[in-house]
Amino acid sequence: AAGDGRLETVGGETTVEMTLQEAIHDGEAIAAGRLAAHVSAARADATLTLSATAGGIDADANATVEDPFGAPVWRLNVTVEADAASPVWAALASPAPQSGRAKLSVAADGQTPPRATAAGSAPLLRLLDSQATGTADLTVTDVSVPDRVTGLDARARLAMTAAAGVVTLRLPEDATLAATHVSPAFLQSLGMPTEIVDQFGKGVAARLTPLSADQPVAIASRDGDLAVVALDGTLALTVPDGTDLSLTFPADIRAGGDRVSGQLRKPAELRLNKFRYGGIAELLAPAVVALTEAKATVGAEAAGDDGLDYRVVLDSPALRLRLHRQGADPVDTTVTPGRITATPGGGEIAGARVELPAHRLVADGLSATVASADNETRIDFQAADIRQTGAEPLFAPIAMTGRANRKGDVWQATATAKGPGGVGRITAKATHDGATARGQAHVILEPLVYKPGGAQPGALVPVLNVLQETTGTSSGEADLSWTSQGMQGTATLSLADLSFTAQQTRVEGLNLDVHLDSLLPPASPPRQTLTVRRLEPGLPLERLDIRFQIQPTDPPSLAVETAQVFFGSGRFSLADLVIDPAATGQQVTLRVQDLSLAELFALLGLEGLSGDGRLSGTIPIDFAGGNVVIENGRLAADAPGTIRFRSEQAAQILADQGESLDLVLRALEDFRYDELTVDLEKSAADVGRLKLSLLGKNPAVLEGYPFRFNISIEANTGKLVTALTTIYQVPNDLLRRAWTSGR
């Protein structure tokens, strides 16, 4: 420092009056001011005024000490004001603000014990033995720092008392901090996640409120150590439209030498009133997270790496969250984190649970252990029970175990899932690059062999419990990939030579090959195949062949390109049909080709009626509300043929009914038809009716005179309807069961 003034000592009293022309730091003049002091054996008074040479900061201080060389009784007042031009920002290693002011005022008075009786000679330890009171007021007004913060305002008052070696600090009123904008890039440079920092663009407000004036911060000297009991208070943080939380922190801290340690005096609470994690997740209902244990040690004696040792235990209740997915509707979930324990280089999660009510999914008994070292992390995890809730779950409960390893930004993971009793095995391998937010996974459903008395489809898919005595094999695999924009994937499923009995129907040789080129939503290319060697829904059907495509509707629909099944020499087929499992009804036009007339009569069970020839035509079928309705179904003979009706019972009944009926019976005994049609009708209430129309002659009757007959036949058409509808019912039932179970 450089200046001029006077120093005078008279009769044991010293007077100092000095004008500081400049205070020099590192060869540069930084401040100027005035110092005045008067010291005697009984009293000392001093005042100091400083102003920065370049402006921007002013400081005033005055102090009075009575009995300065014995047991000093003192009083101190200090006021420092700084604006944007102040050099104090550089001294604090902070960039200079563009605008704003900061002011700190300290007022204190008390008595310090004589040096000989103090706990130690260090000034701080002598201060701890003082009897003193004081206040410190900090005010920050409209401070804006480029690329960091805009419109920063802060208010805080700290009250202090010192007695018997203990310094206590209180907040006599709330301390507040607010800013109109905080730079996300600046917060990111401090290590805060991007999903959180984006919220601060709208500003932030924080409030520190003491819960009780009886629980201040206490600082005590203990053999050269400092023991600190942290303030029992609440820190509240609010970000517009993003976060509203508060934290209580009753902790004890002890510092001495090169070691600082602390622990909770009682459980702390984190109250989440509102919380958003970027555009990914938001809290739907307030929650309280308990910090049941927290202790930490920093210093050379700490056991952990980098001189840090800690243990933190969190117990969290169920958190109701809404997850937002790009290009899809949000999903509500309930997450119970369970107990979370964190220690240096690791931690564990126990008793966690995740629920997705909209998808009827629950993952229970989730646990994980984490170990980190040298920029590598390993996580071993397991899920005891992954299941779908409801009366008809799509899959049986699954247990899963796995491991994930991180090197730098890259994660690699493997997982294995099994059904009840270890039936069925699914393995997965995944890679994720945290730097690019890109990843991929390959999932394999290992071949599962079904056999009576062993594994059955219902063990993994309960809705398939209707399949009994199953033999055959199932397998599949899927490839998934994802970015920050969402997930996509492909999959294949194969059923090989599957045979089973279901609801009095025997299915033999079912083969299914499905390739999905999209999983969310499910979709496939055209020409997927389902074939069945033999199907017996009360009568034998052979060679069921369906070509189809899964369309990405909501719910997924099945576009049947072609479908056919053979009954004897005849073929039933349909084409260009879209099956919607959510629809209450469906209209189908069935095409019949080369159906043997003899097989039709045998199917109807008409005694004494036989014939030859083949029928073709179309049968419109309406499936509505579980009923089958047929209107205007017509089959016609492809060429002339013969009908024979020879029934002794019918002849006896009609023997005395007249000559015309006798003529009809004789003509039908060997009727050579030129035209033959069969009209089929069935309402929702009856089993169906047929009308047989014939044009032809019997050469032995009336010298071959032509007859036209219209004969209504009432017969049990149940088997015929079953045969006609099977080609539609098989894919429809499979799709409807899958959709109903997956809802």
Side-chain angles (χ1 to χ4, degrees), residues 192-211:
M192 190 175 289
T194 303
E195 292 77 9
I196 298 294
V197 302
D198 289 341
Q199 303 176 34
F200 287 82
K202 299 180 181 179
V204 62
R207 183 181 71 257
L208 179 61
T209 301
L211 288 181

Side-chain angles (χ1 to χ4, degrees), residues 112 134 162 207 213 238 251 263 286 294 369 445 457 517 542 587 643 649 711:
T112 300
R207 183 181 71 257
T238 302
Q263 64 182 21
T369 58
L445 173 61
D517 53 13
E542 296 180 342
Q587 292 183 335
I643 286 282
Q649 182 179 6
I711 305 171

Side-chain angles (χ1 to χ4, degrees), residues 79-154:
T79 300
V80 180
E81 290 190 72
D83 62 18
S86 172
V88 72
W89 308 109
L92 296 175
S94 171
Q98 290 180 330
S99 62
R101 294 186 64 81
K103 179 180 179 181
L104 174 64
S105 299
V106 178
D109 59 80
Q111 182 175 11
T112 300
R115 181 185 300 271
T117 62
S121 59
L124 178 58
L125 297 181
R126 289 192 66 202
L127 178 63
L128 289 173
D129 285 335
S130 297
Q131 305 287 325
T133 62
T135 59
D137 291 277
L138 175 66
T139 304
V140 177
T141 305
D142 197 25
V143 169
S144 295
V145 180
D147 301 322
R148 292 198 177 187
V149 65
T150 302
L152 176 66
D153 291 302

Side-chain angles (χ1 to χ4, degrees), residues 234-596:
T234 300
L235 174 65
L237 177 67
T238 302
V239 176
D241 302 326
T243 297
D244 182 0
L245 59 83
S246 61
L247 173 67
T248 61
F249 43 92
D252 295 335
I253 302 173
R254 187 178 182 89
D258 57 359
R259 182 174 182 269
V260 178
S261 62
Q263 64 182 21
L264 285 177
R265 194 166 57 257
K266 60 182 180 180
E269 286 186 347
L270 174 63
R271 293 182 176 269
L272 298 169
N273 301 311
K274 183 171 67 173
F275 183 76
R276 291 182 67 91
Y277 190 72
I280 300 174
E282 63 176 311
L283 188 70
L284 295 180
V288 178
V289 178
L291 185 62
T292 56
E293 180 184 348
K295 57 183 180 181
T297 301
V298 180
E301 298 179 15
D305 295 337
D306 302 323
L308 174 63
D309 188 16
Y310 61 88
R311 177 179 170 85
V312 177
V313 179
L314 279 170
D315 282 311
S316 177
L319 305 176
R320 291 182 53 216
L321 303 174
R322 176 163 292 161
L323 306 180
H324 297 272
R325 303 171 297 166
Q326 187 165 3
D329 293 335
V331 175
D332 290 352
T333 181
T334 300
V335 178
T336 304
R339 170 159 288 198
I340 302 173
T341 303
T343 55
E348 63 181 37
I349 299 173
R353 175 185 173 94
V354 177
E355 301 175 59
L356 293 169
H359 297 280
R360 296 168 47 204
L361 288 176
V362 173
D364 213 343
L366 302 176
S367 62
T369 58
V370 183
S372 297
D374 300 327
N375 201 31
E376 296 186 17
T377 301
R378 188 189 73 210
I379 301 177
D380 293 295
F381 57 89
Q382 65 177 13
D385 183 9
I386 302 174
R387 66 184 184 277
Q388 190 178 42
T389 61
E392 292 187 339
L394 181 61
F395 59 88
I398 294 173
M400 182 177 65
T401 59
R403 170 174 289 183
N405 292 279
R406 177 189 64 85
K407 282 189 177 182
D409 292 323
V410 179
W411 285 91
Q412 293 184 329
T414 59
T416 301
K418 296 181 180 179
V423 175
R425 179 183 169 93
I426 301 173
T427 60
K429 293 183 178 180
T431 301
H432 177 79
D433 189 334
T436 62
R438 295 178 177 273
Q440 58 188 8
H442 184 63
V443 182
I444 298 175
L445 173 61
E446 296 184 0
L448 179 59
V449 178
Y450 304 106
K451 55 185 178 181
Q456 291 289 286
L460 294 177
V461 183
V463 74
L464 298 181
N465 277 325
V466 295
L467 308 185
Q468 302 294 321
E469 300 178 355
T470 304
T471 61
T473 305
S474 65
S475 61
E477 59 183 309
D479 287 292
L480 307 174
S481 63
W482 57 86
T483 67
S484 58
Q485 307 302 313
M487 178 183 289
Q488 59 186 3
T490 62
T492 59
L493 174 65
S494 297
L495 302 178
D497 200 25
L498 215 63
S499 298
F500 54 86
T501 300
Q503 298 176 342
Q504 299 181 341
T505 298
R506 181 63 186 170
V507 176
E508 296 179 1
L510 184 150
N511 291 276
L512 173 67
D513 288 294
V514 178
H515 174 71
L516 299 177
D517 53 13
S518 171
L519 296 180
L520 297 170
S524 77
R527 303 295 293 174
Q528 306 303 301
T529 61
L530 168 67
T531 63
V532 177
R533 183 172 63 251
R534 184 175 178 86
L535 181 67
E536 295 189 29
L539 71 164
L541 300 174
E542 296 180 342
R543 291 180 289 164
L544 173 64
D545 188 318
I546 300 176
R547 297 291 187 270
F548 64 91
Q549 179 183 16
I550 299 174
Q551 298 181 333
T553 54
D554 185 18
S557 55
L558 193 70
V560 178
E561 301 160 10
T562 62
Q564 65 179 7
V565 66
F566 287 85
F567 173 63
S569 59
R571 183 178 65 169
F572 304 150
S573 63
L574 54 83
D576 300 326
L577 173 67
V578 177
I579 300 176
D580 179 1
T584 58
Q586 181 87 50
Q587 292 183 335
V588 177
T589 298
L590 186 68
R591 181 175 177 82
V592 180
Q593 294 175 281
D594 294 329
L595 177 61
S596 166

